[in-house]
């Protein structure tokens, strides 16, 4: 069962902080049919955390149910952001049972901001449950849903020295020929971030796959890497 007090606190808190002018601009920027309240992301996060502190969850299951209820019943984009914020609480950190929640968010949200919102959550699951997550991400890398494919790539953001290079290479190679902007951008973004840890590996990967990588992916990957 969902924690109704948390749901009520988040909904009322977000509405109290609404900025209609900013909300209209945010909706236009996202090109979305989902209206926005115009609440800034840091304020959404504060609202979600304050609600969880004021009305503690009795269990991880209650937290999952609450996050899904907030996500599924959302009238505004910020309510969905708050649902993602709830999934970052310590009670469910690295909990493998959260994977179906993240997958639902990605598939039904179908937008880069939602996908990127759970990227580090999936990365944490990969580090804690590598044996279980590796085949999942390999499947995702070939999924028909472009947002699931993007998630298979962005799931490596923040892994740094714990990056599974073979898995990263596999999910990128599965998508190098994709012409979709959000896939190409994700490939470049992940490589650029990993270059901060393994510059040589990224340079070698880009050199080896030069003709196959899109100009966007290649440019993003080498953005902060001086090539001598």
């Amino acid at each position: 069962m969902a924690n109704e007090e948390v749901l009520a606190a988040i909904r009322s808190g977000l509405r109290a902080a609404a900025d209609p002018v900013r909300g209209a601009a945010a909706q236009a920027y996202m090109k979305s049919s989902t209206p926005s309240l115009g609440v800034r992301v840091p304020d959404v996060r504060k609202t979600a955390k304050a609600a969880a502190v004021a009305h503690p969850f009795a269990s991880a299951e209650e937290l999952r149910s609450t996050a899904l209820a907030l996500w599924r019943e959302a009238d505004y984009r910020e309510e969905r952001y708050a649902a993602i914020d709830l999934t970052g609480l310590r009670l469910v950190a690295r909990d493998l049972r959260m994977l179906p929640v993240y997958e639902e968010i990605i598939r039904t949200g179908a937008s880069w901001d939602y996908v990127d919102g759970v990227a580090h959550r999936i990365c944490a699951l990969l580090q804690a449950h590598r044996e279980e997550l590796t085949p999942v991400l390999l499947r995702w890398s070939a999924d028909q849903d472009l947002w699931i494919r993007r998630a298979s790539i962005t799931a490596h953001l923040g892994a740094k020295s714990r990056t599974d290079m073979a898995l990263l290479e596999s999910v990128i190679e599965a998508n190098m020929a994709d012409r979709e902007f959000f896939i190409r951008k994700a490939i470049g973004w992940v490589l650029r971030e990993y270059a901060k840890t393994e510059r040589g590996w990224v340079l070698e990967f880009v050199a080896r796959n030069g003709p196959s990588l899109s100009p966007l992916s290649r440019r993003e990957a080498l953005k902060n890497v001086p090539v001598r």
Side-chain angles (χ1 to χ4, degrees):
M1 295 287 290
N3 186 322
E4 295 297 335
E5 292 176 310
V6 168
L7 291 174
I10 289 175
R11 288 164 177 158
S12 63
L14 291 177
R15 283 161 178 74
D19 180 339
V21 174
R22 191 173 185 280
Q27 183 178 359
Y29 172 75
M30 294 304 301
K31 299 177 181 178
S32 172
S33 60
T34 304
S36 173
L37 287 165
V39 183
R40 297 180 184 278
V41 170
D43 293 328
V44 173
R45 190 170 296 120
K46 288 178 184 176
T47 299
K49 288 185 176 180
V53 169
H55 310 285
F57 291 102
S59 65
E61 180 57 39
E62 184 181 65
L63 194 159
R64 284 193 295 275
S65 296
T66 304
L68 283 173
L70 189 58
W71 176 267
R72 293 168 178 170
E73 299 165 11
D75 292 319
Y76 298 96
R77 203 168 198 89
E78 287 86 350
E79 290 174 331
R80 289 194 148 183
Y81 292 160
I84 292 173
D85 290 333
L86 289 180
T87 70
L89 296 177
R90 185 176 298 179
L91 188 60
V92 292
R94 305 195 174 199
D95 184 343
L96 193 57
R97 291 171 295 180
M98 291 299 295
L99 185 60
V101 177
Y102 302 142
E103 183 170 0
E104 178 172 334
I105 287 172
I106 295 165
R107 290 190 187 277
T108 61
S111 181
W112 63 266
D113 51 340
Y114 299 141
V115 176
D116 297 351
V118 299
H120 285 84
R121 312 273 198 268
I122 299 172
C123 180
L125 286 184
L126 176 61
Q127 305 314 311
H129 307 280
R130 195 175 298 271
E131 185 176 345
E132 292 84 357
L133 263 291
T134 296
V136 171
L137 294 182
L138 288 173
R139 287 198 304 272
W140 283 15
S141 71
D143 198 277
Q144 291 186 346
D145 187 324
L146 80 90
W147 301 112
I148 286 288
R149 294 200 305 278
R150 179 179 170 94
S152 75
I153 300 165
T154 58
H156 301 270
L157 287 169
K160 299 182 180 180
S161 62
R162 299 193 67 191
T163 297
D164 182 333
M165 291 181 284
L167 178 58
L168 175 60
E169 186 167 350
S170 293
V171 299
I172 290 177
E173 288 181 345
N175 288 280
M176 279 196 295
D178 199 309
R179 300 182 63 83
E180 170 58 53
F181 168 82
F182 288 104
I183 296 297
R184 293 182 168 190
K185 187 75 172 181
I187 291 172
W189 181 19
V190 169
L191 289 174
R192 185 178 75 238
E193 288 302 306
Y194 189 45
K196 297 174 182 178
T197 300
E198 287 289 346
R199 174 180 176 274
W201 186 92
V202 171
L203 283 172
E204 190 277 332
F205 181 86
V206 171
R208 175 161 43 89
N209 294 284
S212 300
L213 280 169
S214 71
L216 172 60
S217 296
R218 189 164 53 251
R219 185 170 61 252
E220 286 291 318
L222 302 177
K223 195 170 186 177
N224 299 317
V225 180
V227 182
R228 299 183 180 87

